[in-house]
Amino acid sequence: MKLNVGGVDRILRIVLGVVLIGLAATGTVGWWGYIGVVPLVTGLFRFCPLYSVVGMNTCPVAKKG
């Protein structure tokens, strides 16, 4: 599993995931807000399976090595 999620991308994913989960937990949005787990996990692990499929990479460290 190679890293393919870079710094800014990672921060945005984590923030979006936490916000969506928080909104779902407080009842502001429906149950679909728990989909925020996906960007949260991909941000924490710095790996996105979809990026691998489409050949995308935002991680500068992985591009060098």
Side-chain angles (χ1 to χ4, degrees):
M1 184 169 77
K2 293 183 179 181
L3 303 180
N4 63 4
V5 176
V8 175
D9 189 8
R10 181 180 188 205
I11 292 168
L12 290 174
R13 287 170 182 262
I14 292 171
V15 169
L16 177 67
V18 169
V19 167
L20 280 173
I21 293 168
L23 290 172
T26 60
T28 306
V29 298
W31 60 268
W32 62 267
Y34 288 109
I35 197 75
V37 169
V38 174
L40 178 62
V41 169
T42 59
L44 291 174
F45 287 107
R46 299 182 69 182
F47 176 76
C48 177
L50 183 60
Y51 275 13
S52 293
V53 171
V54 298
M56 209 169 146
N57 187 349
T58 61
C59 184
V61 174
K63 289 179 184 176
K64 291 179 184 176

